[in-house]
Amino acid sequence: MSDKTKKRVLVVDDHPSIRFLLRSLVETEDFTVCGEAVDGREAVEKAPQLRPDLILLDFSMPNMNGAEAAPLLKKPMPQVPIILFTLHEDSVGNALAAAMNVDKVIAKPDGMSKLLECMRSVLSLPPLSQPSTVGPLELPIDPTPEINQLPQPAPIEEKPPE
């Protein structure tokens, strides 16, 4: 996909390391991160200008959490799917997810391998026919990797001092 046809994603999480990880994961041939927000309040302010095709929303954040932000994000943009990405998946049942007006709930611990698949699903994109890769390092996405399948660094040849 060209940049004009890539789906635009707004990443909302209070932890910079999680935002970095999500950006690295999301930046693929099909998706681009159009913006980031550190809490629900900032997401509600930024989303109308950014016009994302999809919002990745953390549940637990200061100032305004995902449960408070989701309905406010949906009101002006009802067609934009929201994926709630949380450590608290077990406490967010289907009824609460429906009340918050989110399209999917994914647990952070096991969600990284499922996230791109879920993003494609809520945007009605066809599933990938081959395993996908993650970020600029092009690491394969495999929900059950074995240690011997991980890329190994090339041996470093040490040169004696001259």
Side-chain angles (χ1 to χ4, degrees):
M1 284 188 175
S2 73
D3 280 351
K4 291 184 185 213
T5 58
K6 282 186 176 188
K7 297 296 183 180
R8 298 166 47 84
V9 181
L10 173 59
V11 175
V12 185
D13 197 290
D14 57 323
H15 291 98
S17 57
I18 297 293
R19 288 194 312 273
F20 174 80
L21 183 62
L22 288 172
R23 179 181 281 277
S24 299
L25 178 72
V26 167
E27 290 285 348
T28 64
E29 60 213 33
D30 297 318
F31 302 103
T32 187
V33 174
C34 64
E36 296 180 6
V38 299
D39 60 31
R41 184 171 290 130
E42 186 179 12
V44 170
E45 290 171 8
K46 286 183 168 183
Q49 291 87 28
L50 294 172
R51 298 185 332 250
D53 296 304
L54 173 69
I55 298 171
L56 295 180
L57 182 65
D58 186 21
F59 180 69
S60 180
M61 297 178 289
N63 301 321
M64 182 186 288
N65 66 34
E68 296 165 318
L72 297 174
L73 289 163
K74 278 288 194 174
K75 194 168 190 170
M77 301 179 298
Q79 77 288 359
V80 176
I82 296 175
I83 297 175
L84 192 68
F85 204 58
T86 179
L87 287 172
H88 311 285
E89 181 191 32
D90 53 342
S91 63
V92 180
N94 289 339
L96 181 56
M100 289 187 301
N101 213 358
V102 298
D103 297 84
K104 292 276 187 184
V105 178
I106 294 185
K108 283 182 181 177
D110 62 9
M112 289 300 177
S113 61
K114 297 177 185 176
L115 184 60
L116 288 176
E117 177 185 316
C118 181
M119 291 168 60
R120 297 183 72 76
S121 172
V122 299
L123 290 170
S124 301
L125 296 174
L128 293 172
S129 57
Q130 60 190 22
S132 187
T133 58
V134 177
L137 299 178
E138 296 187 6
L139 297 174
I141 297 174
D142 183 353
T144 56
E146 293 183 21
I147 295 299
N148 60 4
Q149 291 179 330
L150 296 176
Q152 300 297 316
I156 298 172
E157 291 183 31
E158 292 188 26
K159 294 181 181 178
E162 293 180 15

